[in-house]
Amino acid sequence: MPASAPVSRLLLLLFLWSLLAACAPGSAAAPAIEPPKMVVLLPPAAPTAVVAAEPEQEPEPGTAVPVTRADPWWGEPLAPVTLVVWGDYECPFTSRYMATLEQLKEAYGPYRLRIVWKHFPLAFHQNARPAHLAAETVFRLGGAEAFWKFHQLAFANQRSLTPESFEAWAAEAGVDQAAFHASFEEQRHAPKIDRDVEAGKTAGVTATPATFVNGVLVSGARPIDDFRTVVDEQLRAAEDLRRAGVPQERVYAALSEQNKARAPAPKPPTPRAPEDTTVWKVPVDGSPIRGNPDALVTLVMFSDFECPFCRRVAPTVEGLEKKYGAQLRVVFKHYPLPFHKRAEPAAELALEAKAQKGDAAFWKAYELLKAGGLEDADLAAHAKSLGLDVVRAQRAIAARRHAARIERDQRLADDIQARGTPHFFINGRRLAGAQPAEKFEALIDEQLANAAKLVAAGTPPAKVYDALQKDAKAANPPERILAPAPTKDNPGKGAKPGAKVTIQMFADFQCPFCKRVQPTIDEIIAAYPGKVRVVFRHLPLPFHTRAPLAAEASIEAFRQKGEAGFWAMAQRLWEDQSESGLGRGALEGHAAAIGLDVAKFRAALDSGAHRAAVEADLKLAERLRITGTPSFAINDYFLSGAQPTAHFTRLVNRALGPHDPPTKESLHGAGKPAAQPGAAQPTPAQPTPAPPTLAQPGAAQPAPAQPPATAGQMGAKHLLIMYAGSLRARAHIVRTRDEARALAGQLLVRAQQGARFEDLAAQYSDEPAGRARGGDLGTFRKGMMVPEFEQAVENLAVGAMSGVVETPFGFHIILRTQ
C-alpha cells in the first residue's frame, strides 16, 4: 500500500466529517464545533529518525489548571473541552470513575473532548506512589498510547500494584523492559509526581478522583450525567468564544481561567491532629551498627536491598551520618519484601560478610548491594571483592544460613507495625518511607535535646538509648486463640491429620475475600510439605444469603467423595459466587460435574441433613468470638482476613518453633463480652448488631435491630478509622494518628459531597465486620457506647451527619438513623 494512503484516507474522513457537521441541525446539548486543524501528536522526547513538522497551532496551557505536553493526554489538543483528572492508582473511587471516562470518550470523541491525567497518590495508599512513578516512566519512554495501556492494566489489577507487575505491564504496553527497569529504579521521573501533587493542592484537590472540566471542579466518582451536564455547558461556552473571535488555541486557557475565577473559595484546611509521639521498643539485638556505639541518637533502619525507595533514601542517611557524626549511630534490620525475589539472597550475603569479617564487612557489602547487581553471579563477584571465602558465601546463600536472623528482624517489624520499606525508628520514634532530610533532622534534633536532659540528670551517654527504651511501647504480641482440635468430620488438605501445624480456616463460600485467599493457602501448604494441614470450618455470614446452602452442599460432597470431593465442590463454589453460581440449580450442576450421586445430593439439601454440622461450626465461631471471614486459627495463633503469604509464614514459623503459651490478655477477643447464647441472628433485611469494639467495657451488647425504636434508643451508622495504638487496633493497622485523622477528614469531605455513606464505610471502615454492613450499628440504648460516641449521636438530628469524632478506638464519622 502506498505510504500516502493513510493520509489520504484521513483527509477524506475529515472532509466528510466537516460536510456532515455543517449539514446537521444544531443541538443545544452538543453544538456543532469547527473541526480542528490537523495536529501531529508526538510523545515527549520520543526518539525518532523523522523530524515532524510543528503543528500550526498549540493550545495555551492556561494559568488556572495548567496543561502541557508533559501530561499524559487523550484526544486532540485543540478540543474545546478538557477534563483534567487528578487520580490515585490505589483509590477504589478513581478505579470506578475510569468506566465513566470511557463512556465520556465514546459519547464526545477526541475532537470535542481532551482528557489529561495528573498524578495524586494519597499518603495512606502504600502502593500508590510506586504505581504513579511506573506510569510516568512508561509515558516518558513510550508516549501517550503506551501510558494509557499501562493505566488500564493498573486499574484492572488494583490489588497487584507491585514492581513485578509494573515491569510486566510496561512490557505489555510496548516499552523496553530494561529501559523501564533502569528508569524506575533510579526514580528519574519522581519530580513530575511531586509537581502534579503540588499543582493539585494549589487547584484545590483534597481527594481522588478530582476532575476539572475546563476549570469547573467535579469532585468524586459522580454519575455520568453530572459530567455530561458540565461538558455540554462548556461546549456551548467554547462555541460562544469561537464566534466572538477567540482563537481556537486560546479557548481552554480562557474558559478554565474564567471558570476558576467564578468558583467558590475553598474551605479552610482541616486542622492537623497532634503529632504521634509514641516511642517503640526496638532492640538493637546484635544487628549491624555503623557509627559511635555510645551515640545519643540511634536510628534503626528496616530495609530491603531490592527496594528502590531504600536506595533513594540511602544518600539522605549518609548525609545525616556526616552532619551528626558521633552523635548518631545507624542500626540495620532486614526486611526483604516477598515480591522482591533477590532481596533475601542479598541479605544472606550481607549477613555472611558480617559472620566472616564483622560489622565493617557488612557495611561494605551494604554499599555494594544498594548500588545494584543482585543476581547469583553478582553476589559471587561481591563476595570476592569483599575478600570473603566465596564458596562458603555461596553455600550460605543457597542454604539460607542466616534465615533465622532475617526472620527475627521481619517478625520484629511486623510486631511494631513497620509495614513496607524503608522504615525508621529514631530513638524509638517512627518515621516511615523515603522522607526528605528535613524530616529526619527535625526528629534527630528533638531527640538530641531529650538526650541532653537525660545526660544532665546523670544518665551516662552510653545508656541513653537503654533509658529511653525502658518505658517504650512493647511490640504487640500476635493474637492467640484456643480452638479445639478438628475431628475426622472436618475436611482438610495438605499434611495428614496430626501435623505439626493445623490451620483451621473459618470461611464462607459467598465471601470474595475467602476466594481471594485460597492461592495463599495453597502456597503455604507447598512451602511446608508434610508439616501444615488446612482444615475447613463453616462460617456463612448472615448477610450472605446463598452461603448456608452452599455450605451444606460442600458437606454432602465430603460425605460422598471424601476430602477430594469437598475441595472439588469448594473450588466450583468459589469460581462463581453470584446467584447463577450458588443458586440451587447451580449447586446440583456442580454435584453432577464432580461425579456425585445427584439424587442423594438433592435429598440431603431438601432434608437439611447437614444443617446441624454448619450450626456446630457457627456456634464454635461465636464462642471463639470470630465474626468475619476468612479467619484462621494457626495452632493457637489467630489471623484475620485475606492476608499476604508472609503474614501466614510468620505465624506458621512461630507455631513450629518454641513459643510461650497464650496469656489471657493475648487471646483473640480478650475483654470483649461474649455473645449471648441463643441470640437470634439478624436477617439480611435488618441492620446487624453493633460491634463489641464500641461498647462500654462490661456493658451488654446491643440487640439485633428491632422494627421501630423504643423510647431511649438511638440508631446510627458510622465509619471508623483506627491507627496504630488506638484501642483494640489489629496488628495490620499501621497508620499513625495523624494519618488516621487526615483520612477521616478526607472521607468526611467525600460524604459531604454526595458519596454514599455505605460505600465509604464498606471500603474504608476499620470496624470488625462493619464493612459488610455499610457501617450500620442498628439501635442501642443510652449507656451502651463509649461516652464520646454516644454524645456525638445525641447531638445529631435524625438523618444528620457528624464531623470527625474521636474516641479511644480512633476517628469516626457518624450518621444518625433514629
Side-chain angles (χ1 to χ4, degrees):
M1 182 180 289
S4 60
V7 177
S8 302
R9 275 204 305 272
L10 180 58
L11 291 173
L12 177 59
L13 286 170
L14 286 171
F15 174 70
L16 291 173
W17 186 89
S18 64
L19 288 177
L20 290 170
C23 295
S27 166
I33 301 296
E34 178 183 341
K37 295 185 178 180
M38 186 174 176
V39 178
V40 179
L41 297 179
L42 291 175
T48 175
V50 179
V51 178
E54 286 294 319
E56 294 181 21
Q57 295 173 311
E58 188 73 22
E60 293 185 15
T63 58
V65 187
V67 173
T68 72
R69 288 292 189 91
D71 301 309
W73 74 90
W74 177 92
E76 285 293 323
L78 296 176
V81 176
T82 295
L83 270 67
V84 183
V85 180
W86 269 274
D88 174 318
Y89 283 113
E90 201 172 352
C91 167
F93 300 98
T94 308
S95 179
R96 185 184 306 168
Y97 175 47
M98 291 304 104
T100 303
L101 278 185
E102 290 301 316
Q103 291 175 287
L104 291 169
K105 286 159 67 174
E106 185 176 347
Y108 292 98
Y111 288 106
R112 293 196 292 167
L113 188 67
R114 175 175 61 150
I115 295 173
V116 175
W117 175 262
K118 298 273 193 180
H119 304 284
F120 204 81
L122 298 170
F124 52 86
H125 283 156
Q126 179 179 329
N127 300 314
R129 186 177 176 88
H132 283 273
L133 178 62
E136 182 65 24
T137 302
V138 168
F139 176 54
R140 298 297 186 92
L141 294 174
E145 183 176 355
F147 168 83
W148 290 112
K149 287 179 181 177
F150 181 96
H151 178 92
Q152 185 177 25
L153 288 166
F155 277 117
N157 301 276
Q158 204 172 35
R159 295 187 180 276
S160 302
L161 300 177
T162 67
E164 288 179 323
S165 297
F166 302 153
E167 292 200 11
W169 300 339
E172 193 170 338
V175 171
D176 179 78
Q177 201 161 4
F180 172 84
H181 181 82
S183 184
F184 179 76
E185 289 285 303
E186 294 174 17
Q187 309 275 308
R188 291 177 190 169
H189 306 300
K192 175 60 161 64
I193 314 297
D194 298 330
R195 289 196 299 271
D196 279 3
V197 170
E198 288 306 311
K201 291 177 179 177
T202 301
V205 175
T206 57
T208 56
T211 305
F212 288 85
V213 184
N214 281 1
V216 178
L217 175 61
V218 182
S219 185
R222 310 292 297 225
I224 189 172
D225 286 345
D226 291 4
F227 287 94
R228 292 182 72 108
T229 299
V230 182
V231 170
D232 290 343
E233 288 174 354
Q234 291 307 303
L235 284 171
R236 287 191 289 271
E239 179 65 9
D240 290 343
L241 286 185
R242 293 292 289 116
R243 287 174 179 162
V246 175
Q248 197 165 358
E249 65 270 21
R250 174 66 189 154
V251 166
Y252 169 71
L255 284 176
S256 60
E257 289 161 3
Q258 174 181 303
N259 289 324
K260 189 69 175 172
R262 293 174 179 171
K267 295 179 180 178
T270 305
R272 288 179 60 85
E275 184 182 6
D276 179 12
T277 57
T278 304
V279 177
W280 289 88
K281 193 176 289 295
V282 189
V284 174
D285 191 27
S287 295
I289 295 173
R290 185 161 72 181
N292 176 15
D294 300 334
L296 296 179
V297 176
T298 297
L299 183 152
V300 180
M301 169 172 60
F302 287 86
S303 189
D304 169 319
F305 288 113
E306 198 175 346
C307 167
F309 302 99
C310 297
R311 292 175 185 168
R312 179 182 178 185
V313 81
T316 302
V317 175
E318 291 166 10
L320 295 171
E321 291 177 278
K322 290 177 183 177
K323 177 175 180 177
Y324 291 99
Q327 295 178 306
L328 179 70
R329 67 171 173 169
V330 175
V331 178
F332 190 96
K333 299 281 187 183
H334 296 273
Y335 196 33
L337 300 174
F339 50 82
H340 285 157
K341 301 305 180 187
R342 301 303 304 172
E344 185 169 353
E348 290 281 354
L349 175 64
L351 285 166
E352 179 63 18
K354 182 178 188 298
Q356 290 191 29
K357 293 199 167 191
D359 275 12
F362 172 89
W363 289 105
K364 289 179 182 177
Y366 166 83
E367 295 296 334
L368 289 171
L369 293 166
K370 73 180 176 63
L374 303 182
E375 298 302 322
D376 288 340
D378 300 316
L379 298 183
H382 294 331
K384 184 176 180 180
S385 69
L386 290 166
L388 305 182
D389 180 329
V390 176
V391 174
R392 179 181 163 189
Q394 289 176 315
R395 287 174 179 168
I397 295 168
R400 300 184 66 239
R401 186 175 297 160
H402 306 288
R405 170 80 252 184
I406 295 169
E407 289 170 4
R408 186 163 62 183
D409 286 354
Q410 289 176 312
R411 193 158 55 242
L412 173 63
D414 284 348
D415 289 347
I416 58 178
Q417 296 125 36
R419 302 285 189 263
T421 55
H423 213 105
F424 303 91
F425 290 86
I426 299 174
N427 277 5
R429 290 276 300 277
R430 184 191 306 275
L431 188 64
Q435 300 282 356
E438 295 78 15
K439 289 270 184 124
F440 287 91
E441 291 169 1
L443 193 47
I444 290 171
D445 291 342
E446 180 184 330
Q447 293 306 307
L448 283 172
N450 292 342
K453 293 177 184 176
L454 287 174
V455 171
T459 303
K463 297 294 183 181
V464 165
Y465 189 68
D466 293 340
L468 292 169
Q469 288 283 287
K470 183 179 178 182
D471 296 321
K473 181 175 179 178
N476 294 328
E479 279 190 283
R480 310 293 280 273
I481 192 165
L482 298 177
T487 70
K488 61 182 178 59
D489 293 325
N490 303 114
K493 61 180 177 179
K496 294 179 180 179
K500 291 183 178 180
V501 176
T502 298
I503 300 177
Q504 300 191 59
M505 173 172 61
F506 289 79
D508 170 324
F509 289 114
Q510 200 176 339
C511 167
F513 303 101
C514 295
K515 173 181 178 179
R516 184 182 305 158
V517 81
Q518 296 313 304
T520 303
I521 293 299
D522 292 337
E523 283 183 47
I524 292 297
I525 291 173
Y528 297 88
K531 295 182 179 179
V532 173
R533 177 171 176 80
V534 175
V535 172
F536 194 96
R537 295 279 194 179
H538 297 278
L539 184 53
L541 301 175
F543 47 84
H544 285 160
T545 56
R546 297 184 293 275
L549 193 61
E552 294 180 43
S554 71
I555 295 174
E556 178 59 23
F558 178 46
R559 294 288 184 267
Q560 289 195 33
K561 285 188 172 287
E563 290 179 342
F566 172 85
W567 293 107
M569 174 64 79
Q571 178 63 33
R572 296 184 69 88
L573 295 172
W574 274 316
E575 279 177 4
D576 183 359
Q577 296 177 307
S578 67
E579 179 66 49
S580 60
L582 297 181
R584 175 60 186 264
L587 296 179
E588 293 183 12
H590 297 329
I594 64 174
L596 302 186
D597 182 326
V598 177
K600 287 177 65 176
F601 179 85
R602 188 180 294 122
L605 297 193
D606 287 342
S607 65
H610 306 304
R611 205 165 293 155
V614 177
E615 288 293 332
D617 278 353
L618 281 167
K619 287 180 180 177
L620 173 61
E622 182 180 51
R623 180 163 62 82
L624 296 174
R625 297 180 173 88
I626 295 175
T627 58
T629 57
S631 291
F632 304 89
I634 303 174
N635 280 9
D636 57 13
Y637 290 100
F638 179 73
L639 186 65
S640 176
Q643 301 286 351
T645 305
H647 290 196
F648 284 90
T649 301
R650 306 278 192 278
L651 294 184
V652 170
N653 289 341
R654 284 180 184 263
L656 286 169
H659 56 275
D660 296 327
T663 63
K664 183 178 180 181
E665 294 75 24
S666 70
L667 287 177
H668 170 66
K672 297 180 183 179
Q676 295 298 322
Q681 294 293 324
T683 64
Q686 296 169 322
T688 48
T693 50
L694 284 177
Q696 293 272 35
Q701 295 303 298
Q706 298 92 7
T710 57
Q713 286 190 321
M714 298 175 281
K717 296 179 182 180
H718 83 135
L719 189 162
L720 171 61
I721 302 299
M722 304 178 87
Y723 54 88
S726 61
L727 190 59
R728 293 178 189 156
R730 298 281 180 83
H732 69 277
I733 305 292
V734 298
R735 65 176 73 91
T736 66
R737 186 171 178 275
D738 284 358
E739 290 170 341
R741 178 67 178 82
L743 174 55
Q746 291 182 17
L747 296 174
L748 176 62
V749 170
R750 289 190 180 181
Q752 291 170 336
Q753 291 173 341
R756 288 185 72 242
F757 191 92
E758 294 79 3
D759 289 346
L760 294 174
Q763 182 62 41
Y764 286 104
S765 185
D766 293 321
E767 176 211 342
R771 293 187 175 196
R773 299 193 306 268
D776 201 334
L777 297 173
T779 58
F780 44 89
R781 295 183 301 279
K782 186 167 178 155
M784 298 184 72
M785 297 295 181
V786 291
E788 301 92 337
F789 188 91
E790 190 170 278
Q791 185 63 53
V793 176
E794 288 182 325
N795 290 340
L796 291 172
V798 173
M801 185 166 58
S802 72
V804 175
V805 176
E806 185 173 8
T807 77
F809 301 100
F811 297 97
H812 308 253
I813 302 168
I814 304 169
L815 178 67
R816 183 163 184 177
T817 55
Q818 61 186 43

